[in-house]
Amino acid sequence: ETGVTQTPRHLVMGMTNKKSLKCEQHLGHNAMYWYKQSAKKPLELMFVYNFKEQTENNSVPSRFSPECPNSSHLFLHLHTLQPEDSALYLCASSQGQVWVGGDRGLETQYFGPGTRLLVL
Amino acid sequence: KQEVTQIPAALSVPEGENLVLNCSFTDSAIYNLQWFRQDPGKGLTSLLLIQSSQREQTSGRLNASLDKSSGRSTLYIAASQPGDSATYLCAVFYEDSGTYKYIFGTGTRLKVLA
């Protein structure tokens, strides 16, 4: 167990549905992330939150709406998705986005098990 | 545009062998590079994080090196074990026009045979 949990683990939804993915970290971290892992494609960073503030949005369509009410919880609200949005959605957390020895970089991230999403 | 490539895509070796997994990236202006393993049905586990100012990092039987100028990183696994079987991913963190990006390679699927 990495200390990062995700629910649900599996989700099937129609294109007109609205659903939410939940991520919770028990590590006392300040930064949280959403990733998308599609079949045969590299993992893609979607959103970054640091101290509850969204710091990065990597050109993600508006049908994906993140929410970070506090440093321990992260949601991904889904609406009017497309079949190509079917993927494994991974959540991760890290202590923070900090300067380390003059280099700016993300600290070691801890990942949840993911939510396997199928859009019909 | 940053591209991250991992070769080979799949690897099958007998137990006890020393392994080298390769990761190459096209833009050397990175902040750090991270190696992960992913087990089937599970999320990613961070193995080693190398900052751009560092040359290598070691953890147990794992050693990762970074050569920024040539755009390469290698993950060395000593005395491989069946429990090392997993997909290994590398990822680079960099800045592109004011936006931070984290780009992953497609991974190397490793199978260590008992």
Side-chain angles (χ1 to χ4, degrees):
Chain A
E1 292 296 326
T2 63
V4 181
T5 58
Q6 289 187 243
T7 55
R9 294 294 309 275
H10 301 273
L11 178 63
V12 180
M13 60 186 288
M15 289 190 285
T16 59
N17 292 158
K18 288 185 180 181
K19 297 286 184 183
S20 295
L21 309 184
K22 178 183 176 182
C23 175
E24 183 174 1
Q25 57 96 0
H26 310 275
L27 302 168
H29 289 165
N30 298 307
M32 297 187 77
Y33 315 83
W34 278 117
Y35 288 87
K36 175 183 178 183
Q37 187 173 36
S38 304
K40 298 183 180 180
K41 290 178 65 177
L43 200 66
E44 302 169 66
L45 178 62
M46 300 173 72
F47 301 105
V48 181
Y49 277 82
N50 196 31
F51 291 96
K52 302 186 299 179
E53 298 297 322
Q54 184 176 314
T55 57
E56 303 296 334
N57 175 342
N58 283 335
S59 304
V60 180
S62 60
R63 57 185 183 271
F64 295 91
S65 175
E67 178 190 2
C68 188
N70 54 62
S71 293
S72 299
H73 294 86
L74 184 65
F75 295 90
L76 187 62
H77 303 300
L78 315 171
H79 63 97
T80 59
L81 294 192
Q82 304 297 313
E84 59 264 30
D85 296 323
S86 299
L88 178 68
Y89 288 85
L90 293 164
C91 171
S93 72
S94 63
Q95 183 60 44
Q97 292 178 263
V98 297
W99 288 94
V100 178
D103 292 320
R104 167 167 288 182
L106 297 167
E107 290 194 0
T108 299
Q109 296 176 69
Y110 296 83
F111 282 78
T115 295
R116 178 74 60 186
L117 173 67
L118 178 61
V119 181
L120 301 176
Chain B
K1 179 187 173 185
Q2 179 74 269
E3 292 183 7
V4 181
T5 305
Q6 290 186 247
I7 294 174
L11 185 62
S12 185
V13 299
E15 182 177 8
E17 276 204 8
N18 300 324
L19 308 171
V20 175
L21 306 182
N22 297 294
C23 173
S24 60
F25 45 96
T26 54
D27 185 344
S28 61
I30 65 171
Y31 288 117
N32 66 41
L33 183 145
Q34 196 161 358
W35 281 95
F36 298 85
R37 68 173 281 170
Q38 185 173 26
D39 295 282
K42 296 186 179 181
L44 277 66
T45 301
S46 177
L47 298 174
L48 291 163
L49 171 69
I50 312 177
Q51 298 291 349
S52 63
S53 58
Q54 298 173 326
R55 298 284 296 188
E56 66 177 339
Q57 284 285 328
T58 298
S59 176
R61 294 182 295 108
L62 304 179
N63 175 278
S65 66
L66 175 64
D67 184 343
K68 264 184 59 174
S69 60
S70 67
R72 290 185 179 185
S73 176
T74 59
L75 179 66
Y76 176 81
I77 303 176
S80 58
Q81 303 171 357
D84 295 329
S85 299
T87 296
Y88 289 80
L89 300 163
C90 67
V92 299
F93 178 65
Y94 69 107
E95 184 178 349
D96 179 12
S97 301
T99 300
Y100 291 112
K101 294 185 183 293
Y102 206 37
I103 304 296
F104 283 76
T106 50
T108 293
R109 279 194 321 280
L110 173 65
K111 187 169 185 179
V112 181
L113 305 171

